[in-house]
């Protein structure tokens, strides 16, 4: 395995690792994003066992000890498995996450105390990069789930949303909703809940020009439209689920 590095928006680098053994033959891609600023931020630490690979890739872009912020969508191995390895190589680094993530997992699991981000908190990392934390509980999964929106480049680091298979291009302007629907059909990875469509539509209000997917290509274009289409699909799924539940209760 190796790491492919691409700049998907000004100062935002996608470090991508394709694992052919997951969901073959297409395989599955894990993407990590380094946001360059005076205080560099890494979104997704990578799996713990993937740390040497990611560490060497990040070291091609910045001196490791300058890494200042570590953040991720939710507490899960691919999002944050290597969190403590990063804390050990970057002495000034802090984990930054939402209130639920800190209180439920990170206050205990992180080797140094995390910084708690309230919904809407902005971290200004310099060089025009400002990252706003947005709570998305249970979307697509994890009570502690959240995303970061980089205001300067209008890039939404949207984590597991739009998960798709395969090792596509680093950047696409094509359809990402269809492949995401297929990904959901295959994996069933989302915590389908009544508020899911509304939560995703709230993200559309950021009107992102770039969507940085954890498992798939980055998308450039009308990010709000893609998010609204994804929200509609989850509303459709929720409707089917609730109807089936109601019919069962009535039978
Ligand atoms: Fe996840
Ligand atoms: Fe993930």
């Amino acid at each position: 395995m190796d790491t492919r590095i691409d700049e998907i928006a000004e100062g935002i680098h996608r470090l991508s690792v394709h694992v052919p053994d997951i969901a073959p033959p297409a395989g599955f891609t894990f993407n990590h994003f380094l946001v360059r600023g005076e205080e560099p931020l890494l979104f997704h630490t990578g799996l713990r066992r993937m740390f040497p690979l990611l560490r060497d890739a990040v070291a091609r872009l910045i001196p490791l000890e300058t890494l200042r912020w570590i953040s991720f969508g939710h507490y899960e191995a691919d999002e944050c498995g290597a969190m403590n390895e990063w804390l050990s190589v970057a002495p000034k680094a802090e984990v930054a996450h939402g209130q639920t993530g800190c209180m439920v997992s990170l206050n205990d699991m992180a080797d140094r105390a995390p910084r708690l981000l309230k919904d809407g908190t902005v971290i200004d990392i310099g060089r025009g990069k400002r990252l706003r934390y947005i709570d998305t509980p249970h979307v697509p999964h994890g009570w502690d789930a959240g995303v970061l929106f980089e205001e300067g480049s209008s890039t939404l680091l949207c984590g597991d949303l739009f998960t798709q298979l395969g090792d596509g291009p680093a950047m696409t302007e094509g359809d990402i909703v269809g492949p995401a629907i297929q990904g959901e059909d295959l994996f069933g990875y989302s915590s389908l809940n009544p508020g899911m469509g509304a939560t995703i539509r709230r993200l559309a209000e950021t009107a992102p020009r770039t969507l940085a997917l954890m498992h798939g290509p980055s998308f450039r274009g009308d990010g709000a439209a893609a998010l609204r289409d994804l929200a509609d699909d989850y509303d459709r799924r929720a409707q089917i689920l609730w109807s089936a539940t109601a019919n069962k209760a009535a039978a």
Side-chain angles (χ1 to χ4, degrees), residues 132-153:
R132 191 198 319 163
Y133 176 75
I134 304 171
D135 257 332
T136 63
H138 301 293
V139 175
H141 51 243
W143 180 20
D144 56 333
V147 298
L148 287 180
F149 178 63
E150 201 292 292
E151 297 177 342
S153 62

Side-chain angles (χ1 to χ4, degrees), residues 78-79 160 214-215:
D78 61 332
E79 273 79 12
D160 287 342
M214 181 176 202
H215 309 289

Side-chain angles (χ1 to χ4, degrees), residues 80-222:
C80 67
M83 165 179 71
N84 289 323
E85 281 76 1
W86 285 108
L87 288 174
S88 73
V89 297
K92 288 185 231 151
E94 275 180 274
V95 172
H97 210 278
Q99 180 160 309
T100 304
C102 290
M103 294 179 72
V104 171
S105 298
L106 300 170
N107 284 340
D108 186 61
M109 299 303 287
D111 283 349
R112 289 201 293 277
R115 169 159 172 204
L116 190 155
L117 305 175
K118 292 206 167 122
D119 185 46
T121 298
V122 173
I123 303 179
D124 187 337
I125 67 167
R127 296 188 205 158
K129 291 278 177 286
R130 292 164 46 85
L131 292 122
R132 191 198 319 163
Y133 176 75
I134 304 171
D135 257 332
T136 63
H138 301 293
V139 175
H141 51 243
W143 180 20
D144 56 333
V147 298
L148 287 180
F149 178 63
E150 201 292 292
E151 297 177 342
S153 62
S154 194
T155 299
L156 187 67
L157 301 163
C158 58
D160 287 342
L161 287 170
F162 297 100
T163 285
Q164 62 172 260
L165 294 180
D167 188 20
M171 178 65 74
T172 184
E173 294 181 0
D175 177 37
I176 58 167
V177 179
I181 290 171
Q182 288 170 14
E184 185 67 62
D185 287 343
L186 180 70
F187 292 126
Y189 65 91
S190 292
S191 305
L192 206 53
N193 66 82
M196 194 161 182
T199 302
I200 297 173
R201 280 190 199 90
R202 184 174 163 234
L203 298 180
E205 290 168 16
T206 62
R209 287 198 299 272
T210 302
L211 296 170
L213 279 56
M214 181 176 202
H215 309 289
S218 291
F219 170 79
R220 185 176 295 141
D222 187 345

Side-chain angles (χ1 to χ4, degrees), residues 230-249:
L230 187 70
D232 288 348
D233 184 64
Y234 281 115
D235 279 350
R236 177 185 66 80
R237 288 174 194 274
Q239 190 59 45
I240 291 168
L241 184 66
W242 310 143
S243 300
T245 307
N247 290 341
K248 208 168 165 191

